[in-house]
Amino acid sequence: MPETKKSSVFSQKICRFCNDDQSKVYIDFYDIKALKPLISERGKIVPSRISGNCAKCQRILTRAIKKARNIALLPFAVEH
Amino acid sequence: MRSYQSVLILKPDIDEARVAEALEKIGEFIKSNGGACLKIENWGKKRLAYRVKKNRFGIYLNLYHTLDSAKVSDLENKFKLYDLVIKYMVVRLEDDELERALGKESSIEEEEEASVKSAGKASVKVDDDDEKEEDS
């Protein structure tokens, strides 16, 4: 079943960037290992309601992804 | 004076001497305009996520430097006219971001070394398998 598969990938509704000690969150645009799982197959940004990220981290994340796209580290759209 | 991070993509088919030459040229330009190169990283040849000027690969360079805010447009113009550079991005860094970038040891290089090691191990394993097959 596709639904259970999806929920297994993003099962926990916990922000994956927030720290326990409330310190400032940094997401580097060149850290592709951290960004890749939050990109869909077509190259779209996964919405926070699916990934479970908090709103603040999601904003930082989208900025990082858009920078990475500009410098060809991540695709704008997947080529065919 | 502000701090910036410049990411450059050079043509994939040039040798290391020309990469060093390009780095020197850019470093000189930054110095002559009152800036300072703080950290230089060479990320090596990487596959691009999309084609840039018909290239599928590119050599990534990453520079942390300071520069007068008025000279940034000059620097970008320099990158634009430099024939080895196929794509560039200059990002302004806040003070805490710069400190974090300089404090952090180049983790990407470490990761690459680790991946090379694991690749070496994998190939060794493959060799073992072949031998076993021959034995059996």
Side-chain angles (χ1 to χ4, degrees):
Chain A
M1 275 166 70
E3 275 185 25
T4 50
K5 208 174 183 181
K6 202 175 189 180
S7 63
S8 68
V9 176
F10 298 110
S11 59
Q12 78 278 40
K13 285 278 180 186
I14 305 166
C15 179
R16 62 181 73 197
F17 294 106
C18 275
N19 304 318
D20 299 331
D21 53 347
Q22 303 289 314
S23 57
K24 197 176 173 186
V25 176
Y26 294 98
I27 304 172
D28 294 318
F29 66 86
Y30 47 83
D31 188 6
I32 310 169
K33 269 187 186 169
L35 300 182
K36 259 279 163 64
L38 294 156
I39 288 262
S40 76
E41 281 173 34
R42 305 214 71 190
K44 293 181 171 185
I45 300 171
V46 175
S48 61
R49 67 168 188 281
I50 291 168
S51 66
N53 288 337
C54 70
K56 192 177 178 183
C57 293
Q58 184 72 12
R59 279 199 299 278
I60 301 170
L61 174 74
T62 51
R63 261 176 246 142
I65 290 174
K66 284 168 182 176
K67 276 180 191 169
R69 280 176 180 166
N70 258 317
I71 201 68
L73 292 170
L74 291 177
F76 282 103
V78 177
E79 288 176 40
H80 288 284
Chain B
M1 201 76 109
R2 278 199 168 272
S3 35
Y4 297 91
Q5 175 179 16
S6 298
V7 184
L8 305 173
I9 308 178
L10 304 184
K11 278 184 183 173
D13 48 357
I14 59 174
D15 51 2
E16 285 185 17
R18 291 199 76 187
V19 175
E21 192 184 301
L23 264 177
E24 209 171 283
K25 207 171 166 184
I26 292 157
E28 261 176 36
F29 180 82
I30 290 168
K31 263 181 201 166
S32 64
N33 282 291
C37 266
L38 302 174
K39 192 177 179 185
I40 298 168
E41 286 176 352
N42 189 346
W43 293 347
K45 202 168 177 179
K46 282 192 178 195
R47 197 190 166 85
L48 303 176
Y50 47 87
R51 266 174 287 182
V52 180
K53 296 191 182 169
K54 298 184 179 171
N55 293 297
R56 284 202 170 277
F57 292 84
I59 297 169
Y60 276 79
L61 297 177
N62 185 23
L63 298 109
Y64 296 98
H65 58 88
T66 58
L67 200 64
D68 270 339
S69 44
K71 300 283 185 188
V72 173
S73 57
D74 288 357
L75 183 69
E76 288 187 330
N77 204 22
K78 174 104 178 164
F79 289 154
K80 213 178 272 178
L81 295 174
Y82 199 8
D83 54 348
L84 293 181
V85 178
I86 56 175
K87 207 165 174 64
Y88 63 90
M89 184 168 74
V90 182
V91 186
R92 197 179 80 198
L93 292 180
E94 301 302 333
D95 289 344
D96 51 342
E97 287 171 329
L98 180 74
E99 260 176 42
R100 181 168 169 272
L102 294 181
K104 191 169 65 177
E105 281 306 306
S106 44
S107 57
I108 287 175
E109 284 175 21
E110 284 167 18
E111 278 169 23
E112 271 176 12
E113 278 173 20
S115 67
V116 166
K117 276 176 194 168
S118 63
K121 278 177 193 168
S123 65
V124 169
K125 275 176 194 169
V126 168
D127 292 344
D128 287 347
D129 290 346
D130 290 344
E131 284 172 15
K132 277 174 194 168
E133 280 171 16
E134 282 165 16
D135 291 340
S136 61

